[in-house]
Amino acid sequence: MFTIKGFGVIVFIGFLLCRLLCGAHEVSVSCMMSYEEGGAAAVFSSPECPRWFYSAKSSKNITGNCDFATLQGHREYQEDRVTCNLDMKLPLSGESVHEEISVGIAAIFDGHGGDEASEMASTRLFDYFFANVVFTAYSRALPNNKHNHKTHSFKSSLRRILEKALLKTIEDIDSEFSKEALDKGYISGSTTSIVLMFDGKFLATNVGDSKALLCSHKVLSHHDSEGTLLGEIYAEELTRDHHPNREDEKARIEAAGGFVSKSRVPRVNGMLAVSRAIGDVYLKRYGVTAEPELTGWRDFTRENSYLIVASDGVFETLTPQDVCGLVDDKVSESLSQNVTTSSLSDWIIRHAFRAGSTDNLSAIVISALRNCTDGRSYA
């Protein structure tokens, strides 16, 4: 016989399950205060913050699900770092929202003056992004009707959270490394280019002169025998290089008291060939900044073929159009011979190296078609 006491037990068990499952990623007020005072770095060093931050496997670098390649080339040291996870699980919790989302993130960090900056940035990226998503979601008001979690307004809110968290992550990494660099005397810095993917959309951001490209086909009016859209491949640069002689960059440097040398390669104060970078602490006072530029969110379409993230060593000898053409030719060759496509990223950096690049080389190639079906975006 069902009794009031039995009903009470059921309610209590349900409450515990809710606390364990729904509240699995709850954070305390004291932990929130630590975050507000010191960003993501403070979260991972504070005893006030939950232990799940330290063991969240979803935040780890899983390059196994990415097509990436890196080559030291003719340089004495390898200062490039690659980090990628196309299926990163992130918890979202708010007043009435408790769910997990999946995002893709691919990044290349191109170090200079040593590998300390690129190494720290690549090892911190996923943990700090994970933490920043959690706290940004807590601080923003998400639509609180659970039946609307798949609506446009809810997904738009999630995209704003991810965008803000990514920018904050770069800021946190630069802040932490800058403090360590001053303490230990590091002179190194790092550029970066990052692509973020969620719900059939993507955005790109960069600091310095690493690039993100979108390779697409200009669609012709007919299809092949299998119904595939045909067209000429073309490259679109999603990022703009931060070189010191770029008009707006030069203005900022000079306003801060620095100068741009007029040598063959323009440099900040005659030293640094980029005007934005993580680290480079001794040039920060002269206008060098780690503030990224980013594109707005864009839909994947059937015309999009590949997203490519690459360090500037690739573009020492290849143009963006060359890179997209190489990938397209390799895929077409593999299809005509009915063989599995080998690493497209390795194909790119080997060509750049053979063409005479003297820099470290790194590339990530992501199939855009994996994020799009019939020209529409899906979660």
Side-chain angles (χ1 to χ4, degrees), residues 25-245:
H25 294 116
E26 294 285 348
V27 294
S28 64
V29 173
S30 55
C31 182
M32 179 66 79
M33 291 175 63
S34 295
Y35 173 76
E36 291 176 349
E37 291 173 2
V43 171
F44 288 92
S45 62
S46 173
E48 304 296 332
C49 294
R51 300 302 301 177
W52 55 263
F53 273 119
Y54 301 88
S55 59
K57 294 181 180 178
S58 58
S59 70
K60 302 306 179 185
N61 179 20
I62 307 177
T63 50
N65 64 16
C66 297
D67 178 353
F68 79 98
T70 186
L71 182 68
Q72 183 173 322
H74 294 294
R75 289 295 178 93
E76 186 175 356
Y77 304 103
Q78 173 58 281
E79 296 172 329
D80 283 2
R81 296 293 186 272
V82 177
T83 187
C84 183
N85 187 345
L86 299 184
D87 189 25
M88 183 178 181
K89 306 301 182 184
L90 296 170
L92 290 176
S93 294
E95 183 178 345
S96 61
V97 177
H98 299 283
E99 67 174 57
E100 186 177 73
I101 63 171
S102 177
V103 304
I105 185 168
I108 283 179
F109 297 92
D110 181 354
H112 49 260
D115 63 1
E116 297 90 358
S118 57
E119 177 66 19
M120 174 181 280
S122 63
T123 57
R124 299 287 196 276
L125 177 66
F126 286 107
D127 282 339
Y128 284 13
F129 183 62
F130 185 93
N132 278 310
V133 167
V134 170
F135 285 101
T136 305
Y138 260 80
S139 63
R140 295 187 71 97
L142 291 168
N144 59 14
N145 184 340
K146 67 179 181 180
H147 300 295
N148 291 332
H149 287 183
K150 302 304 177 184
T151 64
H152 173 76
S153 61
F154 183 74
K155 290 183 177 180
S156 179
S157 295
L158 294 187
R159 288 192 294 273
R160 287 195 295 271
I161 287 170
L162 294 173
E163 181 178 324
K164 183 177 180 181
L166 180 59
L167 296 177
K168 185 65 168 65
T169 295
I170 296 171
E171 177 186 332
D172 286 345
I173 289 171
D174 179 62
S175 176
E176 182 181 5
F177 179 75
S178 295
K179 291 174 183 176
E180 184 171 324
L182 288 172
D183 181 54
K184 297 184 178 180
Y186 295 149
I187 61 170
S188 62
S190 178
T191 69
T192 185
S193 185
I194 303 172
V195 169
L196 183 63
M197 293 152 282
F198 169 67
D199 187 40
K201 298 178 184 290
F202 67 93
L203 66 75
T205 186
N206 73 304
V207 177
D209 58 0
S210 295
K211 295 183 188 291
L213 311 176
L214 178 65
C215 304
S216 303
H217 281 87
K218 293 181 179 178
V219 180
L220 302 179
S221 59
H222 63 275
H223 299 66
D224 66 10
S225 59
E226 296 180 353
T228 303
L229 292 169
L230 299 176
E232 179 184 355
I233 194 75
Y234 71 100
E236 177 186 357
E237 290 192 49
L238 300 173
T239 53
R240 291 199 305 158
D241 291 347
H242 297 129
H243 288 148
N245 61 338

Side-chain angles (χ1 to χ4, degrees), residues 211-218 232-239 298 303-308 315 318-328:
K211 295 183 188 291
L213 311 176
L214 178 65
C215 304
S216 303
H217 281 87
K218 293 181 179 178
E232 179 184 355
I233 194 75
Y234 71 100
E236 177 186 357
E237 290 192 49
L238 300 173
T239 53
R298 291 175 49 175
E303 290 76 29
N304 303 150
S305 298
Y306 293 96
L307 279 169
I308 297 174
F315 304 102
L318 300 177
T319 67
Q321 185 63 40
D322 291 336
V323 171
C324 287
L326 282 169
V327 171
D328 194 50

Side-chain angles (χ1 to χ4, degrees), residues 74 211 311-323 326 347-361:
H74 294 294
K211 295 183 188 291
S311 60
D312 74 310
V314 169
F315 304 102
E316 189 176 302
T317 53
L318 300 177
T319 67
Q321 185 63 40
D322 291 336
V323 171
L326 282 169
W347 185 248
I348 291 170
I349 65 172
R350 295 292 174 182
H351 270 77
F353 179 73
R354 287 196 292 268
S357 178
T358 59
D359 203 353
N360 299 149
L361 301 123

